[in-house]
Amino acid sequence: MDHAIAHAGTPVAPAPATPSLSTLSAMPAKAKLMLGAGFAGLAAVVVALVLWGQKGDYKVLYANLSEKDGGAIIAQLSQMNIPYRHADGGNAILVPATQVHDARLKLASAGLPKGSVVGFELMDNARFGQTQFQERLTFQRGLEGELTRSIGALGSVQAARVHLALPNQNGFFREQQKPSASVLLTLYPGRTLDRTQIAGIVHLVSSSVPELNPKAVSVLDQTGALLSGSNDQTSGQGLDAQQLQYVAQVEASYVKRVTGILEPVVGRDNLRATVAADIDFSQTEATSESFKPNQGNEPAAVRSQQVSEAGNAAQATPSGVPGATSNQPPLAATAPLTGASAPLHTAATGTAAGANQRRDNVTNYEVDKTVRVTRNATGNVKRLAAAVVVNHRVTTAANGKTTSTPLSNDEIEKLTALVQESIGFSKERGDSVKLINAPFRVETVPKADALPLWQQDWFMDALRAGATPAALALVALLIVFSLVRPALKAAAAAAPAQNARLHVVADEPVQRPGAPPALEAPRIAERLDGARAIAKQNPAAVANIVRDWVKADAS
C-alpha cells in the first residue's frame, strides 16, 4: 500500500465511460427508475410476443351442432377453462389443437353432445302409467331416429329425416292398411347418389319395418326431386334417370373417341365435337315351336305301343281219319291269283268252321319339337349422328403475326373418314357424320377492375395477422427510446465525473510515516473522509482505481 501511495502522484488514465455495475449503482434514483421501467416494459413485450406466437392452431371440436347442443357445450367449456372459437356461423366449435381429444372425452363423460336425433334410447326412459298410444309413438320415434342415423352414415348424405306411417293393426279388419315411409335427404354440395345407393336406402327402410313394401318408400333430396321413382312409373313418360344417364355415358364415350383421334392432327382446342345416340331400350321376347316328323333313314323313336288280341271260337271236335296221316304237318298254303282265299282248315288245330278272331296293334312314334325363346338385348344403338367443327389452320410468322387458312377438301375427307371409323359408322343403320371447317371466334373477356391494394382480401388478412406484432414492436421501440436510452446516457455521463473526483482525491498529498507533518491536516482529513464516503457508495470504482495503481507499479 505504501508503494501504491508513493506513486499516487503519477497521472492515472481515466476508466472507460462504459456503464457497469458500479456506474449503474452510482446513477440517480430517477435514472434507475426509468431504466427499471424500461427493462420491465421490454420484458412484457417479449412475453406478449411469445404468447402470441404460441397461441396454437384451433381445430374443430364438433360440427353441425344444433343451437341447444352448442349452448350446452360452450357452457361446459367455460367451466373447464378451455378457450374456444366459433366457425361456420356458430355451427362449429373450435378449441386448441392440443386439447381436442381431452375436451371430447370430458364432454362425453358429461353426456354432450346429446344430438338432435334420438333413437331407441327413448325406450330407456319409459314413464310409468303411459298409454298404449304413447308407447307406440315412442317406439315409432325411436325407429325413425335409428333409421336417420343409419342413413346419415353414408358419405354423400349430410343430413336425413325419416317419416314412418305405421297404421294401427286391428284383428277385426279383414284388409289391414300397409305401412309406408318417406325419406328426405340433404346431400353435400357437388355429391349425388347413384341408383344402387338409392335402392340400398329403400331396402334398408323396407327391411326395418315389418310388412313394408319397397314400393311404398319414397326418397327425396333437398331440392324436392323424387329419387326412388320406379321404372313402371316412368315407362309411359319416356326414359327414366338411369336410362338417360346411360345415353349420356354412351354419347360421352363417342365424343372422347372423336377428340382422341383428331386432337393429334388438328391440335388441342382446335375442334368441337358432339354425338347424338339413339338408344333402343324396348324389350321384346319371341317364342317359337317347330315340329319335325320322323323321316329318312334315321330310326324312329317309339313313344308307345299297344297290342290287343281277341278270339271267339266254338268248341272244336276231333275229326279226320285216325292214324299217321292225321299226324303229318300241314301243307304250304296256296292262294289263288284272283278272288278270296279259302279258309285254312287243318285237322291238327281242330278249328271249327265258324271261329272268330281279332288282333289290334297300335304304335305311337315321337315327333320332334323345338321351343325357341328369343329376348332382344336392351340399350342397343339404333342410330348415331356426329357433328364436328375443326378450326382453320393457324400459322405464326417470324414477326409474330398469325394467319389462318382453311383446310383443303382432301384433308376434310380424311378427317371425316377418321371420325366414321372412330364411332363405328354403319350406313345400313342410318348413321350420319358431318365435319366442317370454320374459324373459331375467340372472345376476349374484359378484365374486372382491379381492387385497390388496401381492399384486397389477402392484404386485409396480412394486416390483421401483422397488426399485433407491429404494435408490440412499436411499444418496444417507444420504451427503448423514452426510458432505456435516457437512463443509459445518464449512467454514461455520471461515470467520468465520479472517476475524476476519485482521481482528485487520490492526487492529494498524503502524510507518510516519518515525514514532517503537513501544514493543512484538517483539509487532508476532510478529503480522506470524502474518499471513504465514495468508497462506501461505489466500491467497484475504488477497486478499479486501486487495480490501475497496481498495474502502473508493476510496469
Side-chain angles (χ1 to χ4, degrees), residues 302-372:
V302 179
R303 180 178 182 182
S304 63
Q305 185 176 11
Q306 182 179 0
V307 178
S308 62
E309 296 181 358
N312 185 10
Q315 184 66 30
T317 57
S319 62
V321 180
T325 304
S326 60
N327 292 329
Q328 295 296 325
L331 298 176
T334 58
L337 296 177
T338 58
S341 61
L344 181 62
H345 299 283
T346 58
T349 58
T351 305
N356 186 10
Q357 291 183 354
R358 181 180 178 183
R359 183 176 181 180
D360 297 332
N361 187 1
V362 179
T363 302
N364 296 325
Y365 296 94
E366 289 285 356
V367 179
D368 294 340
K369 178 181 179 181
T370 303
V371 179
R372 184 177 292 104

Side-chain angles (χ1 to χ4, degrees), residues 95-115:
V95 297
T98 56
Q99 300 181 8
V100 171
H101 302 290
D102 294 340
R104 286 179 180 175
L105 293 176
K106 292 179 181 178
L107 291 174
S109 63
L112 295 175
K114 297 181 179 179

Side-chain angles (χ1 to χ4, degrees), residues 32 70 123 131 142 172 203 230 238 351 357 363 403 419 484 521 549:
K32 290 181 180 180
M123 308 298 293
T131 62
F172 296 99
H203 183 72
S230 60
T351 305
Q357 291 183 354
T363 302
T403 58
V419 174
V484 178
W549 289 348

